[in-house]
Amino acid sequence: MNRVVITGLGCVTPIGNTVDDFRHSLFSGITGIAPIGPFPTAPAGHPGVRFTQMAQVVDFDPLQYMSTGTATATERAAQFGIVAARNAVEHSGLLQAHAPEDTAIILGCSCAGRQAEEPQLANLYLRDARAHPLTVVRTMANAGASHVSIDLGITGPVLTISTACASGTHAIGMAFHMVRSGMVSAAVAGGHDAPLTFGFLRAWDSMRVVSPTLCRPFSADRDGMTLGEGAAMFTLETLESAQARNATIYAEIVGFGMSADAHHITQPYSDGAAKAIRTALKDANASPSEVGYINAHGTGTTANDSTEAEAIHKALGPDIAPTVPISSTKSLHGHSIGATGAIEALATVLALHHNQLPFTYGVTDVDTTLNLDVITKETRPFDPLRPIALSNSLAFGGLNAVLALRKFD
Amino acid sequence: MDDIEKRCIEIIAKSKNIPADSINLDTTFEELNIDSLDKINISFEVEETFKIEIPDDALGTLKTVGDVVRGVHQLRENKPPANVATP
């Protein structure tokens, strides 16, 4: 089987619309979470939501990156995907070495098109208005993947994976397996989502899992997640091809684990998450003692963080689990649903490449009952003797996806 | 230039992100690189602006900006008064 490496990175996120800006914010602890401000699509006199913060992408004008026709035919989620994927591919030089027909695009997206659909439906139901003729193409879940293929001229397997908060991680993992098996010679993979509409925020508000203050994962007084939006994309290819063309290698993907809880549609379940972690390590042919960093799903809800800690203990064992440095970067870039796994994978790849582990921004007092080595306040050096990093995604619906990455020297 | 012509040109110019003064009645959709998706988008904006409905078979015959303007004139002239109930 092929060894698979990451040779290109691209992103559009609340903490940077370039990888350089993202990296700076990541390691400096500059958060993209800010007051919501006015809701652009909310009806007058609406009652609002109980929370006041979210993580929005700023300074993003699609016309800077694409034609008027493409910008008109797409919604914000697809636009993020197009820009991030183009940046990753251009930056890597991938298509100079790989045939477009032998390259895949596997993207994760959970809420595609909401910003185009929601105002349309409001008009349709409340004002008996007509639906805009571009509503279908703006809102279909695969719009992003399809536009990326058009933009880059890639004609191999192209598909969208939708597994809620694990979508981006599942997409990268499936692309990894496709390149590893030789099904394709290269892939563009990642996640993208732009769900911050009035209806979406109200729906999450009703679930009572959004922090009324600020997402602070692993804190003893944590009180919920903070929603976000964005995209992160990667180019994957075989180690052999990357070395042959002298490409920069940011990290090696060595394992991928998936599982379903088959338990509850929202309640996290440690057995399922632990199985995904174990499967990723088995796929990587690695042992728990080799894990030197975990980028947690770490939403900042009471239930997620305690269940994830329990899962890590089950998967790595009681002796090793408390010794592995762990952080959640969601308090920087927010929880962007279908994109978040890919954005966290980007944080993990940068951690490996720069030998620097990001800290969990906003932590007050660490919840000691979790019995984890939570990185707080400042970054830590990566221990090269434990070269594996895990990126966990534990989605609503009980769908778990874990990537195992290895530092590449 | 009458008001209908002016507004049709504005809609097309906005849709293609080009200056309105680069468009006249003889400008063809081909010259403006208007594809099928642009066409339904522009038609929707025209329909919403003038409160008309462009028939499906007419849509396929639109080749120039002048076709759009003449079509709007025609549909507005044939349009029943707003207070006439439709079956």
Side-chain angles (χ1 to χ4, degrees), chain A residues 315-355:
Chain A
L316 303 186
D319 295 333
I320 291 174
T323 71
V324 179
I326 183 169
S327 63
S328 167
T329 49
K330 279 193 173 75
S331 45
L332 297 175
H333 50 70
H335 189 338
S336 50
I337 318 297
T340 202
I343 293 172
E344 289 151 28
L346 177 59
T348 310
V349 168
L350 292 172
L352 291 173
H353 190 61
H354 295 281
N355 295 306

Side-chain angles (χ1 to χ4, degrees), chain A residues 1-229:
Chain A
M1 286 199 291
N2 295 310
R3 289 176 68 182
V4 180
V5 293
I6 292 172
T7 54
L9 314 171
C11 69
V12 176
T13 75
I15 59 169
N17 295 344
T18 65
V19 173
D20 282 347
D21 287 348
F22 179 89
R23 186 185 61 227
H24 175 70
S25 300
L26 178 72
F27 293 138
S28 308
I30 299 169
T31 186
I33 295 174
I36 291 173
F39 289 104
T41 56
H46 68 83
V49 289
R50 277 183 287 261
F51 51 93
T52 59
Q53 312 275 321
M54 64 183 181
Q56 282 181 287
V57 168
V58 294
D59 299 328
F60 181 83
D61 175 7
L63 291 174
Q64 280 187 344
Y65 308 100
M66 59 197 79
S67 70
T68 309
T70 303
T72 304
T74 50
E75 183 263 6
R76 191 168 165 90
Q79 293 167 357
F80 288 167
I82 293 168
V83 174
R86 191 192 297 159
N87 286 345
V89 168
E90 285 179 353
H91 162 236
S92 68
L94 188 80
L95 294 176
Q96 291 158 27
H98 295 271
E101 62 269 25
D102 201 20
T103 300
I105 298 170
I106 314 294
L107 302 191
C109 189
S110 178
C111 310
R114 289 193 75 99
Q115 308 212 14
E117 188 161 39
E118 217 174 82
Q120 286 298 313
L121 293 180
N123 279 334
L124 187 69
Y125 288 122
L126 301 177
R127 290 183 277 281
D128 198 26
R130 303 161 60 209
H132 192 281
L134 299 185
T135 306
V136 171
V137 294
R138 286 171 178 163
T139 60
M140 57 192 193
N142 63 306
S146 295
H147 276 285
V148 170
S149 82
I150 293 166
D151 189 61
L152 299 172
I154 289 173
T155 55
V158 175
L159 56 95
T160 297
I161 291 175
S162 189
T163 52
C165 319
S167 304
T169 309
H170 271 114
I172 298 164
M174 295 309 293
F176 157 60
H177 280 176
M178 289 168 78
V179 176
R180 187 172 69 172
S181 70
M183 181 180 177
V184 291
S185 80
V188 179
H192 63 113
D193 238 340
L196 302 177
T197 59
F198 180 60
F200 181 83
L201 296 172
R202 287 292 297 271
W204 278 91
D205 192 32
S206 298
M207 292 198 78
R208 296 172 186 265
V209 292
V210 180
S211 168
T213 52
L214 193 69
C215 159
R216 45 189 185 284
F218 307 124
S219 297
D221 65 348
R222 66 190 180 275
D223 58 6
M225 58 194 274
T226 299
L227 294 160
E229 61 177 355

Side-chain angles (χ1 to χ4, degrees), chain A residues 277 291-297 308 312 316 321 324-328 348 372 375 388-392:
Chain A
I277 295 170
V291 179
Y293 173 59
I294 299 173
N295 187 298
H297 189 56
E308 188 170 5
I312 290 166
L316 303 186
V324 179
I326 183 169
S327 63
S328 167
T348 310
L372 295 173
I375 310 167
I388 300 279
L390 301 177
S391 185
N392 292 349

Side-chain angles (χ1 to χ4, degrees), chain A residues 63 68-69 72-73 120 129-134 137-138, chain B residues 14-17 37-38 40-41 44-45 47-48 52-53:
Chain A
L63 291 174
T68 309
T72 304
Q120 286 298 313
R130 303 161 60 209
H132 192 281
L134 299 185
V137 294
R138 286 171 178 163
Chain B
K14 188 177 171 201
S15 168
K16 296 301 291 181
N17 197 24
L37 215 53
D38 294 328
I40 56 168
N41 189 36
F44 180 79
E45 296 300 334
E47 287 178 326
E48 291 292 286
I52 56 173
E53 190 170 333

